[in-house]
Amino acid sequence: MSRNRFWLLLVLCCSLALLVACGGGGEGEGEGEDASETPAESAPAVDTADAGGVKGVVSYAGPDNDTPIAMNADPTCLSLHTTPVDTGKYLVKDGKLGNVFVYVKTGLEGKSFPTPTEKKVLDQHGCQYAPHVMGIQVGQTLSVKNSDATLHNIHAMPASNAEFNQGQPIQNMEFDKVFDKAEVMVPFKCDVHPWMNAYLGVVEHPYYVVSGEDGTFAIDKLPPGTYTLEAWHEELGTQTKDVTVAANQTVDVTFDFQPKTGG
C-alpha cells in the first residue's frame, strides 16, 4: 500500500468515527431537553361563579383612649389644624369600632390571584397618615405621597418584608414600593413627627377590608368554602371567626372587642 493511500484511509476512518459520535444519541438528547423544559403546574385561579361573601360589624363597649397630639414642634403642622387632633387609635362611634383590618386568614390556600394593577396610596396630610389603617395585595404597588409643605420621613418597619426609611422634604413628592411577602401588619412611622403612625396589611389575595367609622365591613366575591377570618386592631389585638360560605350566600359576622385590662 502506498503512503498516500494509507493517509487517505486514515482520514476517512477518523471522519466516519467523528460523524457517528456527533450524531449518535440525538433522539435521546431531544427527549431529555423536552422533559427538562416542562413547566410546573401553576395554582388554579379562584372560581367566583357561585361566590358569596361575609359582612358584619365590629363592636366595642370600652372607652376612647385617644389623647390630644401636641404639634407645637412643627409650626407648619400646627397651622394645618383649626381644632385639636388626637392620636386616632380608637375610632369609636355608638359602640362600634372603625379602623379594624378584617381579612381571610385561612381557606384560600392553593389558589392564585392576579396582582392588581391599580396603586394604593398612603398620603401624609395634615401631618398625619391617611389612611391610618389600610390593606394591599402582595406585589401590588404602594405609592407614598407627601401632601404637606414640610419634611416627612417614611419609616416602614416590617418583620418579613424589606425595611425602608426614606425622606420626603418637598410637598407633593412621591415614591413607590412593593411588598413581596404577606404580613399583617406592617407598621409605619415618621421619625420627624413621632405622633405619626399607620399600619398596612399585606395579604396574598383581595379578600380584606377595613371597618368604617360605623364599624361595618363587607368582603364580597368570596367563593364557597370554609374560612378563618381575623380582625386586627392596633391596641386591642386580634380576634378570629370560622365561617362557612355556601354558594351565593352572604354570612353575617360580628367581632366584639373588649377594653384592655386597666384601660
Side-chain angles (χ1 to χ4, degrees):
M1 178 183 298
S2 68
R3 179 174 296 182
N4 289 342
R5 289 186 63 188
F6 170 79
W7 286 113
L8 178 59
L9 288 174
L10 181 61
V11 170
L12 289 175
C13 289
C14 291
S15 299
L16 180 60
L18 182 62
L19 180 61
V20 171
C22 292
E27 184 177 352
E29 289 177 4
E31 292 174 353
E33 291 173 0
D34 291 342
S36 64
E37 293 176 0
T38 301
E41 292 185 5
S42 59
V46 162
D47 183 3
T48 58
D50 298 319
V54 295
K55 66 179 179 67
V57 65
V58 182
S59 64
Y60 171 67
D64 181 344
N65 289 327
D66 285 326
T67 56
I69 296 172
M71 296 188 179
N72 309 64
D74 189 329
T76 299
C77 294
L78 189 63
S79 69
L80 295 173
H81 299 278
T82 57
T83 58
V85 178
D86 64 29
T87 49
K89 296 179 179 180
Y90 291 85
L91 190 60
V92 183
K93 181 179 180 181
D94 299 328
K96 304 300 188 293
L97 188 62
N99 275 343
V100 176
F101 185 71
V102 182
Y103 71 106
V104 175
K105 185 173 185 178
T106 65
L108 293 168
E109 295 79 8
K111 303 295 184 182
S112 64
F113 308 91
T115 302
T117 56
E118 66 272 16
K119 293 182 180 181
K120 288 294 188 76
V121 178
L122 178 62
D123 196 4
Q124 294 152 110
H125 182 73
C127 295
Q128 293 179 292
Y129 283 113
H132 182 65
V133 178
M134 64 184 298
I136 198 168
Q137 196 169 325
V138 170
Q140 187 175 8
T141 300
L142 175 69
S143 180
V144 184
K145 179 181 178 181
N146 180 11
S147 291
D148 295 330
T150 190
L151 166 66
H152 286 306
N153 163 251
I154 305 90
H155 189 176
M157 300 169 291
S160 301
N161 289 277
E163 180 177 0
F164 62 87
N165 190 350
Q166 189 165 335
Q168 288 184 329
I170 301 173
Q171 189 175 26
N172 296 323
M173 290 188 73
E174 193 169 347
F175 65 80
D176 292 344
K177 292 291 182 181
V178 173
F179 296 83
D180 58 7
K181 297 180 180 66
E183 184 171 352
V184 177
M185 305 283 282
V186 176
F188 285 72
K189 70 175 183 176
C190 175
D191 292 329
V192 180
H193 307 108
W195 64 82
M196 290 179 61
N197 61 86
Y199 297 91
L200 176 69
V202 186
V203 293
E204 295 176 341
H205 52 73
Y207 300 106
Y208 63 86
V209 68
V210 178
S211 63
E213 292 184 3
D214 60 356
T216 61
F217 65 89
I219 299 175
D220 59 7
K221 298 182 180 179
L222 190 60
T226 298
Y227 305 98
T228 297
L229 304 180
E230 182 169 87
W232 173 97
H233 184 266
E234 62 180 292
E235 290 290 315
L236 302 174
T238 61
Q239 291 187 6
T240 58
K241 294 276 187 177
D242 292 330
V243 298
T244 297
V245 178
N248 303 305
Q249 177 193 38
T250 298
V251 180
D252 290 312
V253 180
T254 299
F255 290 100
D256 185 13
F257 281 88
Q258 300 300 314
K260 295 174 68 176
T261 302

